[in-house]
Amino acid sequence: MKIAIVGAGPAGSLLSCYLAARGHRVDVYERRADPRRYDDAEGRSINLGLSARGVKALTDVGLMADIWPLTVPMRGRAVHGPDGKVAFHPYGNHQEEILHSISRRDLVVSLVAHAARAGVTFHYDTQLSALPEADVVVGADGAFSTVRTLMGRGARADFRQEYLPWGYKELTIPRMPVHHEALHVWPGGDDGLIVTHPNLDGSATATLFLPYDTLAAITDPEAFFARRFPDALALIPDLAKEFAERPVGHLVSIRTAPWHHDGHVVLIGDAAHAVYPFYGQGMNSALEDCTVLDACLAEHPDHPAAAFAAFESRRRPHTDVLDELSRQNFVELRERVRSPLHHARKRADLTLARLLPGRWVPLYTAVSHTTTPYADALARAKRQDAVLRWTAAGVAGLAVVAMFARKVR
């Protein structure tokens, strides 16, 4: 088939590798400049955290060996308290249960180079106003997808777009003095949040999340940090300059239906299911889309309509769950990561996972360190939570009985 992919980000570039390997003629169209020549993503994109789903997808196309040197391991969260103390919490019990920080540009450049070697043709600086002429058109053009808009014209299509009333700015920490191989978190409740990703050169990219009203009211960023995030202030020497120069990023969640039309058009990644970034799964789920779509095309090689229908049927229940999980994790990062009760619950999960390997899997482990479908991971976590509640109730009941027995004696 002649296949046109609109969007040369991680999902579109990866899918082109899968499709080229199947012998299809693939052209990729991108409105931005060629990232191999220009750092077009600078200042706009949150650093990416590569986890098990993304690793599998990149391994499937033979690219992971080239990607590993571009990543920095994140072995857990380093949570900054209001007193300046830092508490490190590992992600899991095993060495491989970690995330991998990578710049979006590095990932995309590697994918594009790999795809180009496989015969994929890339067309940059190309703004489309109509669907390309091809047997199949793939919309991998992000949350504000042109393909999705064109596909939905005149059709009975559902669409829900929701902006988070918070924006973000990216700032630079030249050197992280402790726990470089970690995701650093400054939780500020309703007043703000900072999350950092480590870079290869020893620096870290700090993403400051704030309500729009708060962002707009800041006239002296150094004074603001001194009040809200005092220990972060000393780590960002160019705060005033970067705060003034860096654009405000926006956070949007999107659900749409259908994801395909007439065996001719199909949506993947953010074009179909954009989520907030707080579970670190937006990019990973988009890469996993490519794996699942490739499998569906293999099962229905001569019937794209059947392949696209199977793809949407398999993925939608799970990406809907990911949307909910991403919203919940926003609250966790802002508030719960400092709670002793929250950490006690996390420690209990990890302890049970260590004592019952394969039989007890914490939700975060299933989502980030396995390829268990999202809805299946959540259903399992709910069953485990029920067990813990019953166990806690039983222990409390035994304690009451024991106390009563002591009084009777």
Side-chain angles (χ1 to χ4, degrees), residues 167-205:
Y168 69 88
K169 280 181 178 275
E170 286 197 331
L171 307 167
T172 304
I173 296 177
R175 187 184 70 85
M176 188 66 75
V178 294
H179 302 299
H180 176 64
E181 294 186 348
L183 182 90
H184 284 252
V185 181
W186 281 262
D190 292 334
D191 296 328
L193 168 69
I194 300 176
V195 176
T196 75
H197 286 72
N199 298 313
L200 285 170
D201 62 1
S203 68
T205 300

Side-chain angles (χ1 to χ4, degrees), residues 122-316:
F122 286 83
H123 308 267
Y124 289 99
D125 300 301
T126 303
Q127 184 76 48
L128 297 177
S129 57
L131 295 179
E133 292 185 8
D135 299 312
V136 167
V137 177
V138 179
D141 49 342
F144 306 104
S145 170
T146 298
V147 173
R148 183 183 63 232
T149 300
L150 295 171
M151 185 184 80
R153 284 181 180 171
R156 291 182 299 172
D158 295 327
F159 179 71
R160 191 197 76 180
Q161 173 179 294
E162 184 177 351
Y163 277 97
L164 191 70
W166 288 48
Y168 69 88
K169 280 181 178 275
E170 286 197 331
L171 307 167
T172 304
I173 296 177
R175 187 184 70 85
M176 188 66 75
V178 294
H179 302 299
H180 176 64
E181 294 186 348
L183 182 90
H184 284 252
V185 181
W186 281 262
D190 292 334
D191 296 328
L193 168 69
I194 300 176
V195 176
T196 75
H197 286 72
N199 298 313
L200 285 170
D201 62 1
S203 68
T205 300
T207 307
L208 169 68
F209 298 93
L210 289 172
Y212 283 123
D213 291 347
T214 304
L215 269 171
I218 296 175
T219 57
D220 185 343
E222 293 184 348
F224 172 83
F225 266 69
R227 292 193 306 272
R228 298 282 180 86
F229 306 107
D231 64 324
L233 175 59
L235 301 177
I236 311 174
D238 295 328
L239 174 60
K241 179 176 183 292
E242 290 189 342
F243 195 91
E245 294 177 352
R246 298 287 170 85
V248 175
H250 308 288
L251 303 166
V252 64
S253 165
I254 285 174
R255 293 193 192 185
T256 188
W259 291 2
H260 61 95
H261 175 71
D262 199 29
H264 177 55
V265 185
V266 65
L267 306 175
I268 65 169
D270 283 358
H273 52 79
V275 299
Y276 300 142
F278 302 107
Y279 219 114
Q281 285 295 303
M283 181 266 294
N284 288 284
S285 67
L287 299 185
E288 191 174 50
D289 278 355
C290 302
T291 305
V292 176
L293 180 55
D294 180 67
C296 292
L297 288 167
E299 293 168 9
H300 306 279
D302 301 318
H303 301 282
F308 299 161
F311 168 66
E312 181 173 355
S313 176
R314 291 181 192 179
R315 288 297 281 165
R316 179 189 293 284

